[in-house]
Amino acid sequence: ELEAIKARVREMEKEDERLKELQLEAESRFIVSMEAGLFPKTTEEKMEVDQRSIYVGNVDYGGTAEELESHFNSCGQINRVTILCDKFSGHPKGYAYIEFEEKSSVKTAVELHESVFRGRVIKVLPKRTNMPGISTTDRGGYRGRFQARGGLAQWGGYYGGQQHPRMRGRTYRGRARLLPWYFPY
């Protein structure tokens, strides 16, 4: 029984050595692909890739990357076709990005704006570069009305089914935000 355990330990050590070799090989392949430029590293490289890419909107949900590639094949050599999908359901969102080999291909691809792909009129635009720190969804702070922390209290609205009066004077800033500063009970 002891010999069987020792044999199993030697077998596990051999497998461990083999796994370490495979991991080193995979890491070296990853580094080589990074050096080959498959993964853009700096902001300048990302901007350069974005200048060679287009946005395609109103893409049919059943459309595949191969069909999009064949539709835009006349524009130039295509590096990558990305159809974005919802991360929860896995269904396509209805738009895609296509990266070309050359910047001149973008101009010819934009000419296919409002062309028909799988029975739908698609929207083709040059891909814009996202700037770090600039958000298109952030609309600023105050939007025309007061809103408490939880979004429950809005002046002129309803709170718990009853309309609450507008408070005057000092108010307590703790849990009971709408109570006057002196509340004996």
Side-chain angles (χ1 to χ4, degrees):
E1 186 178 314
L2 186 63
E3 289 298 320
I5 293 173
K6 286 182 181 179
R8 178 75 177 134
V9 166
R10 277 183 291 212
E11 193 176 303
M12 290 172 72
E13 287 174 350
K14 286 181 184 176
E15 188 175 343
D16 183 46
E17 297 268 337
R18 194 167 41 103
L19 285 173
K20 285 181 182 177
E21 289 174 8
L22 286 172
Q23 186 174 2
L24 285 172
E25 182 181 335
E27 286 175 359
S28 66
R29 282 185 184 171
F30 181 73
I31 290 170
V32 167
S33 67
M34 289 277 288
E35 290 171 356
L38 296 177
F39 300 103
K41 296 172 279 226
T42 63
T43 308
E44 291 83 21
E45 288 179 359
K46 289 179 185 176
M47 288 176 64
E48 196 271 326
V49 168
D50 286 348
Q51 290 173 352
R52 293 185 285 124
S53 302
I54 59 169
Y55 162 85
V56 184
N58 200 24
V59 177
D60 184 54
Y61 295 120
T64 63
E66 291 81 17
E67 291 173 334
L68 275 171
E69 187 173 350
S70 66
H71 186 77
F72 287 96
N73 204 12
S74 63
C75 302
Q77 179 66 34
I78 296 174
N79 286 349
R80 182 183 317 169
V81 176
T82 307
I83 298 175
L84 276 82
C85 296
D86 184 70
K87 64 181 175 181
F88 298 111
S89 65
H91 298 300
K93 289 185 174 181
Y95 61 94
Y97 293 103
I98 299 176
E99 178 190 331
F100 290 102
E101 187 72 34
E102 299 172 5
K103 291 181 185 178
S104 61
S105 301
V106 173
K107 291 178 184 173
T108 56
V110 170
E111 292 174 5
L112 290 175
H113 179 64
E114 295 184 348
S115 64
V116 178
F117 174 72
R118 291 191 64 153
R120 298 179 80 166
V121 177
I122 57 172
K123 181 179 185 178
V124 182
L125 298 170
K127 185 177 186 298
R128 64 178 172 81
T129 303
N130 288 332
M131 301 303 288
I134 298 175
S135 173
T136 58
T137 58
D138 184 19
R139 297 183 180 164
Y142 181 71
R143 302 256 311 154
R145 65 175 182 238
F146 170 79
Q147 192 159 359
R149 280 189 196 168
L152 298 175
Q154 294 176 356
W155 299 115
Y158 288 90
Y159 179 75
Q162 299 175 358
Q163 193 170 12
H164 57 278
R166 184 170 270 164
M167 292 293 164
R168 296 184 180 272
R170 255 175 95 179
T171 57
Y172 177 68
R173 288 203 173 282
R175 286 179 75 168
R177 194 172 183 119
L178 298 175
L179 297 177
W181 68 276
Y182 175 72
F183 194 72
Y185 300 105

